[in-house]
Amino acid sequence: MKQHVLVVDDDKGMCDLLGERLQNRGFAVTTRTVPSEALELVRQEDFAAVVTDVNMKGMNGLDLCRSLLEIRSNLPVIIITAFGNMDTAILAIRAGAYDFLPKPFEIDQLVLAIDRGVTLAGLKERVRRLELVVADTGHFGELVGQSPKMRELYTLLRKISDSDAPVLISGASGTGKELVAHALHAQSARAHGPFVAVNCAAMPEALLESELFGHAKGAFTDAKTAKTGLFASANGGTIFLDEIGELPLGLQPKLLRALQERTVRPVGGNVEIAFDARVVTATNRDLETMVEEGRFREDLYFRINVLTVELPPLRARGGDVLLLAQHFLDRIAARAKKSVVGFSPEAAQKLMAYAWPGNVRELQNCLERAVALASFDKISVSDLPDKVRAFRSTQLVLSNDDPTAILTLDELEHHYVRRILEGVAGNKSAAARLLGIERKTLSRMLDRWNDSERPPKE
Ligand SMILES: Nc1ncnc2c1ncn2[C@@H]1O[C@H](COP(=O)(O)OP(=O)(O)OP(=O)(O)O)[C@@H](O)[C@H]1O
Ligand SMILES: [Mg+2]
């Protein structure tokens, strides 16, 4: 396929000459002597490159270049000019031109410039597509996991990362709430601003109040100087209030006021100080029940819970257990300078079968221990804690997230097999080994469930 090049020059003779020479070199060429017509044409047709003169009636070639790039940002524009000096060259590059050729030039030079520009534009387009694919195939910040539940989570996080509305992150202990709060900040427009984390359970009420809102000089005995609160320190960034369920009842109306007015009043002070921080909160408590029991203010609950992010327990994330295990193994082994690279199939099976009540943190701790104990290049069952080792697959929570659901034996088997398959990325031989059955037997089971065509992950 010929590359289609647009040549723009208000000198008809020059247009024709360049057109003819480029055609001889195998390009398809369209010429225009009126710059605004060239612009119109680029809106309609997909040119591989544009070659334009600088000094033209109607519109300067540099302005044309800028307008062309507004229409198609990766269009290679090559500027030619009779007045070739450094100033014009710099202006051309500033206007976003791919290259600049002073007249007179050899046609070879122009052909080379076009070819390079087209190649670069192609590469840029590929990178852009790859970035889209990567973004879509589930990544968000430092979070590891490819299970459907985690992919859903990434989609949600991507949607809300740029909003300024308060976010409440809920989930059981060790599910990654703090990591998600970090990631939300790092992927937001506020990423260059501060990330200030406060643990609401860590301090007595009075101290927490002055930490959060600051205090005036002389507010209390030890307040020798005025102090800026964490809300004000988080200006331009994010303030993360961890364990918000533990916030003392006495402070709750003050926090509510701060969130509504977007100002704080330092302890002992009488001026309101405006702050500009996104508020992210996290809890492993059931706030709704706390509201019903009068232990958490309902109005505050509604105020912090504008956007909700719920982290699934690790046992609902299928094969992510092994992905996370490998992720931690790599990091811990590198730090300990030990060459432990993977897991024995039996160890992997145990990791998949265990219910992980302490979620990702428990898995991380388990790996710390296993790497320390490992005597071979693979983690073996004997490197795992007793409770993981002793966990029999019959104790496995098999339905995705409802541990009380009653399943038939066939459903149970079906769930279990799918989960093992997920864990080994659909590798049937590896799954059969883990299950202790022949590969053929596994295929027959999958046929019976009509599962063989479907990829196990989706
Ligand atoms: N999806 C994940 N990918 C990689 N690491 C993770 C992931 N989830 C959690 N972690 C790691 O697991 C550990 C526990 O996570 P984190 O502290 O964020 O949990 P948490 O929900 O805040 O727990 P808690 O309720 O006990 O405070 C951290 O070291 C964190 O980096
Ligand atoms: Mg936490």
Side-chain angles (χ1 to χ4, degrees):
M1 264 247 298
K2 286 185 178 177
Q3 309 273 17
H4 195 179
V5 176
L6 174 64
V7 174
V8 192
D9 196 322
D10 60 350
D11 174 350
K12 176 107 178 32
M14 190 64 189
C15 262
D16 291 344
L17 183 71
L18 277 181
E20 193 190 313
R21 298 234 170 121
L22 288 175
Q23 269 164 3
N24 290 342
R25 295 306 190 91
F27 292 99
V29 183
T30 299
T31 60
R32 282 292 179 274
T33 51
V34 182
S36 58
E37 285 179 15
L39 260 185
E40 203 41 51
L41 209 56
V42 166
R43 269 186 240 278
Q44 294 156 13
E45 269 186 66
D46 196 15
F47 290 98
V50 175
V51 177
T52 176
D53 191 26
V54 175
N55 292 309
M56 295 183 288
K57 285 193 287 291
M59 190 189 289
N60 173 299
L62 300 175
D63 291 335
L64 174 65
C65 176
R66 273 187 216 100
S67 306
L68 286 171
L69 294 176
E70 273 167 23
I71 301 172
R72 255 191 57 201
S73 63
N74 63 351
L75 180 68
V77 178
I78 293 142
I79 290 187
I80 51 179
T81 173
F83 307 98
N85 56 37
M86 273 312 278
D87 287 350
T88 339
I90 290 169
L91 289 175
I93 300 304
R94 279 208 191 127
Y98 170 69
D99 208 348
F100 169 85
L101 289 180
K103 291 180 197 171
F105 53 83
E106 298 289 325
I107 192 72
D108 280 344
Q109 284 175 278
L110 182 58
V111 169
L112 193 68
I114 296 175
D115 278 343
R116 282 204 192 129
V118 170
T119 309
L120 182 74
L123 282 174
K124 279 190 189 158
E125 180 60 20
R126 271 185 62 191
V127 169
R128 197 186 63 85
R129 285 208 200 126
L130 282 173
E131 279 173 352
L132 281 181
V133 170
V134 170
D136 267 348
T137 52
H139 271 283
F140 194 85
E142 309 271 288
L143 294 168
V144 174
Q146 291 296 313
S147 57
K149 288 227 184 282
M150 287 306 277
R151 283 163 183 256
E152 268 171 43
L153 180 75
Y154 302 151
T155 309
L156 173 68
L157 292 175
R158 217 169 283 128
K159 271 192 212 149
I160 67 175
S161 60
D162 267 338
S163 145
D164 264 348
V167 183
L168 173 65
I169 304 169
S170 67
S173 171
T175 45
K177 296 182 293 295
E178 188 167 350
L179 191 63
V180 166
H182 263 286
L184 261 180
H185 171 73
Q187 305 296 313
S188 77
R190 296 175 167 270
H192 54 275
F195 177 84
V196 176
V198 197
N199 187 334
C200 300
M203 284 170 254
E205 179 169 340
L207 186 57
L208 184 58
E209 180 174 1
S210 81
E211 281 292 310
L212 289 175
F213 306 136
H215 61 69
K217 185 176 170 186
F220 41 86
T221 328
D222 288 339
K224 302 224 162 33
T225 52
K227 183 173 171 249
T228 315
L230 295 172
F231 268 93
S233 311
N235 264 340
T238 306
I239 183 162
F240 173 49
L241 305 175
D242 203 357
E243 311 216 27
I244 190 72
E246 316 307 315
L247 187 74
L249 264 173
L251 276 185
Q252 293 185 14
K254 295 179 181 164
L255 177 62
L256 176 66
R257 212 173 144 270
L259 296 185
Q260 276 167 343
E261 312 291 329
R262 298 200 70 78
T263 59
V264 290
R265 185 193 291 252
V267 179
N270 47 15
V271 277
E272 297 282 327
I273 298 177
F275 69 91
D276 165 36
R278 183 186 206 181
V279 179
V280 177
T281 52
T283 183
N284 56 15
R285 305 281 291 266
D286 176 0
L287 284 187
E288 260 172 67
T289 305
M290 289 183 73
V291 167
E292 275 162 26
E293 292 169 354
R295 286 182 295 144
F296 200 87
R297 285 181 69 116
E298 186 171 36
D299 45 11
L300 179 60
Y301 173 63
F302 286 128
R303 192 61 215 146
I304 60 174
N305 192 22
V306 177
L307 299 168
T308 316
V309 173
E310 204 166 326
L311 296 194
L314 181 56
R315 65 173 171 276
R317 301 186 203 174
D320 283 357
V321 171
L322 295 185
L323 279 182
L324 281 160
Q326 187 70 49
H327 165 75
F328 290 132
L329 174 65
D330 293 343
R331 291 219 317 213
I332 298 165
R335 199 177 348 108
K337 299 201 171 55
K338 257 183 114 161
S339 61
V340 189
V341 294
F343 302 86
S344 75
E346 296 77 19
Q349 189 180 17
K350 289 291 181 197
L351 294 179
M352 284 294 289
Y354 184 58
W356 302 109
N359 296 295
V360 185
R361 179 173 302 107
E362 186 183 8
L363 177 63
Q364 188 177 13
N365 293 341
C366 166
L367 264 299
E368 293 273 3
R369 177 182 188 277
V371 172
L373 292 179
S375 358
F376 306 105
D377 65 339
K378 294 229 163 93
I379 303 282
S380 66
V381 172
S382 60
D383 303 325
L384 301 177
D386 284 346
K387 59 185 172 195
V388 177
R389 220 161 40 182
F391 204 79
R392 282 174 299 122
S393 45
T394 45
Q395 288 171 284
L396 186 61
V397 178
L398 287 157
S399 66
N400 256 355
D401 36 22
D402 180 3
T404 59
I406 304 277
L407 303 172
T408 66
L409 268 182
D410 190 63
E411 284 170 331
L412 207 64
E413 202 174 37
H414 189 177
H415 273 289
Y416 184 50
V417 168
R418 281 184 74 107
R419 185 157 167 196
I420 294 288
L421 267 169
E422 277 179 15
V424 294
N427 182 329
K428 285 189 202 158
S429 306
R433 269 201 306 280
L434 284 169
L435 291 161
I437 56 175
E438 293 279 336
R439 196 183 177 290
K440 271 186 292 182
T441 314
L442 176 61
S443 294
R444 269 203 303 277
M445 292 165 114
L446 295 175
D447 283 343
R448 178 155 53 89
W449 297 313
N450 229 344
D451 256 356
S452 48
E453 303 306 322
R454 264 185 286 155
K457 280 206 159 172
E458 299 308 321

